[in-house]
Amino acid sequence: MDRFTISLDEPLAKAFDEWIAGRGYANRSEAVRDLLRAELARTRQAAQPAAPCVACLSYVFNHHERELTERITQRQHAHHELTVAAQHVHLDHDHRLETVILKGSTAAVQRFADAVCAERGVHQGSVHLISLPAPAVAPAAHAQAQAHRHAPAARGRAPAKKPRPLKPAR
């Protein structure tokens, strides 16, 4: 692993340490690695719109809006190659929250998310894109270029590391 040193003024270092503690990082190095990965992914997404990604699109809409539910469903069906799954919950008598898992090129996923959020009756929407290495996006679920088999669960493998406990919400 490569090492490097950075200098921070005291207020920035203090704010960073508070951010690290609030997020539950064990040390500064883990936090810096995650920040670098996130920024590199954002840069890659902007520079390579054809690069593969997965995304979570969430939006709140008025399900009484004339034909909105049908328009959204038609859009998902028209882009079935992007839409992996969708789930909605009723927030109150008039509003639903829908979350759609998407998979495809960064540009296609972003265009789809923008189009859904621009629909009349969609009150607010947000998409979270995660870059993937090229082989991760296959045209069909679980498609592989070579035959393979799955190892039996946990047999002959080291036990998984226990995840760090989550910090309670403030």
Side-chain angles (χ1 to χ4, degrees), residues 25-47:
Y25 285 101
N27 57 55
R28 287 177 173 172
S29 292
E30 288 182 25
V32 169
R33 280 192 290 272
D34 280 355
L35 289 170
L36 286 171
R37 283 186 199 106
E39 186 55 36
L40 291 171
R42 274 192 293 276
T43 302
R44 188 172 47 252
Q45 287 167 353

Side-chain angles (χ1 to χ4, degrees), residues 53-60 72 75-76 79 82-83 98 100-103 105-119 122 124-129:
C53 74
V54 292
C56 179
L57 168 62
S58 297
Y59 48 94
V60 173
I72 291 172
R75 187 175 300 281
Q76 290 174 3
H79 297 282
L82 298 176
T83 306
E98 184 157 78
V100 183
I101 306 302
L102 303 165
K103 187 175 184 181
S105 75
T106 300
V109 167
Q110 187 65 60
R111 275 193 308 273
F112 179 87
D114 291 344
V116 169
C117 293
E119 286 282 352
V122 173
Q124 184 175 357
S126 177
V127 65
H128 178 72
L129 293 123

Side-chain angles (χ1 to χ4, degrees), residues 3-163:
R3 292 178 184 265
F4 70 94
T5 303
I6 61 172
S7 299
L8 302 174
D9 60 49
E10 191 173 325
L12 182 58
K14 182 179 179 193
F16 188 52
D17 287 340
E18 289 171 1
W19 183 84
I20 289 169
R23 294 283 180 117
Y25 285 101
N27 57 55
R28 287 177 173 172
S29 292
E30 288 182 25
V32 169
R33 280 192 290 272
D34 280 355
L35 289 170
L36 286 171
R37 283 186 199 106
E39 186 55 36
L40 291 171
R42 274 192 293 276
T43 302
R44 188 172 47 252
Q45 287 167 353
Q48 300 173 350
C53 74
V54 292
C56 179
L57 168 62
S58 297
Y59 48 94
V60 173
F61 66 101
N62 180 341
H63 69 94
H64 294 300
E65 176 74 32
R66 186 171 175 224
E67 299 177 359
L68 177 59
T69 303
E70 291 80 13
R71 290 193 314 266
I72 291 172
T73 300
Q74 287 173 357
R75 187 175 300 281
Q76 290 174 3
H77 287 206
H79 297 282
H80 62 86
E81 76 284 359
L82 298 176
T83 306
V84 176
Q87 181 177 13
H88 73 261
V89 295
H90 296 266
L91 299 174
D92 57 32
H93 178 70
D94 297 322
H95 299 94
R96 288 184 191 169
L97 166 68
E98 184 157 78
T99 299
V100 183
I101 306 302
L102 303 165
K103 187 175 184 181
S105 75
T106 300
V109 167
Q110 187 65 60
R111 275 193 308 273
F112 179 87
D114 291 344
V116 169
C117 293
E119 286 282 352
R120 185 182 72 250
V122 173
H123 298 298
Q124 184 175 357
S126 177
V127 65
H128 178 72
L129 293 123
I130 300 172
S131 296
L132 294 175
V137 176
H142 207 73
Q144 295 285 332
Q146 301 173 6
H148 70 285
R149 62 185 197 88
H150 294 270
R155 189 171 61 186
R157 289 195 243 161
K161 286 173 48 177
K162 287 186 180 180

